[in-house]
Amino acid sequence: MATIELGPASGRLLIRTGRSGLGRRAGHDLVIEAARWSGTVTLAGDDLAGAAAEGSSVQITVPVAGLEVREGTGGVLPLSDQDRGEITANLRKVLQADRYPEITFRSTGVRGTAAEFTVEGELTVMGRSEPLSVRAAGGDRVTGEATVKQTRWGIKPYSALFGALKLADDVQVTFDLDVRPG
C-alpha cells in the first residue's frame, strides 16, 4: 500500500458554473478555485499501477472559506474585484459556511485501469451526502471531472434580476493533479 498526500501544491481543483434564464447575458460564467484543500489517496499497491485496484481510496476536504473566484467570462461588463468579493460572500452564504465549513468527498470504490478510471463516492455539501461518480485519466498527472447538480444537495442555485438570471443547476468540478508518491 502507498499513501499520497494532496493539496494545492499538487495541482488545481476548480468549479465551473454556467448561467441560465432570460437574463443570462448579464451574468458571468465563473471559475472558482479551491485555494485551500487537502486530500489523501491510498493505493492498493505500492505504485500508481494499482490506483484502480480494489482497496484504493480517495478522501478530499475543501474548506468553503478556501473557495475563491478566479475568472468570470461573458456578461455585459467584465468581472470586477468588487464583483468577485460579492460573489465570494454570496457563495459562503449560500453554502452556509458558518454552519457547514467543509465540503468532503470520500470514495466508496474505484474501477477501471490506472490510465482511465472512475471513482465512486459520497460528496457531502451542507451536511448532506449524495453519491457522486468522478471520471479520471492519467498516470503521474491525473485529470478528471464530475458534474454536481446543486439541487441534489439541497442548494438553491443563485438567481438575480427577479429570477431572470440564474446560476445553472449543474456545475463542473475539474482537477489536474500530480499524484506521484513522496
Side-chain angles (χ1 to χ4, degrees):
M1 285 207 126
T3 300
I4 303 166
E5 299 294 327
L6 300 174
S10 308
R12 297 183 82 188
L13 179 57
L14 303 173
I15 301 163
R16 299 175 189 278
T17 69
R19 303 161 281 162
S20 66
L22 295 173
R24 68 181 166 268
R25 293 172 48 121
H28 298 90
D29 293 328
L30 301 174
V31 175
I32 300 166
E33 183 169 11
R36 292 185 287 132
W37 62 279
S38 61
T40 304
V41 175
T42 303
L43 303 174
D46 292 330
D47 59 23
L48 291 168
E54 188 173 329
S56 294
S57 64
V58 178
Q59 295 185 19
I60 304 290
T61 302
V62 177
V64 175
L67 297 175
E68 297 180 8
V69 177
R70 295 292 190 214
E71 296 175 34
T73 57
V76 176
L77 299 171
L79 192 66
S80 69
D81 288 341
Q82 181 179 344
D83 293 335
R84 289 177 210 273
E86 289 172 7
I87 292 167
T88 299
N90 189 57
L91 175 66
R92 291 178 181 153
K93 182 179 173 185
V94 167
L95 294 177
Q96 301 177 34
D98 56 335
R99 189 168 169 202
Y100 305 104
E102 295 180 333
I103 297 168
T104 60
F105 176 80
R106 298 198 191 301
S107 65
T108 56
V110 181
R111 60 182 161 75
T113 66
E116 193 171 302
F117 54 96
T118 300
V119 179
E120 301 291 342
E122 286 199 343
L123 178 67
T124 303
V125 180
M126 294 174 32
R128 183 173 178 171
S129 297
E130 293 287 340
L132 182 69
S133 293
V134 180
R135 297 169 309 282
D140 289 346
R141 280 208 87 72
V142 173
T143 60
E145 66 179 19
T147 300
V148 174
K149 185 175 283 294
Q150 297 178 81
T151 51
R152 270 186 68 199
W153 280 266
I155 301 167
K156 181 180 178 187
Y158 176 79
S159 68
L161 303 173
F162 303 104
L165 169 61
K166 300 175 188 174
L167 187 66
D169 196 8
D170 287 353
V171 296
Q172 285 298 121
V173 178
T174 63
F175 54 90
D176 181 354
L177 306 171
D178 181 346
V179 294
R180 289 175 287 196

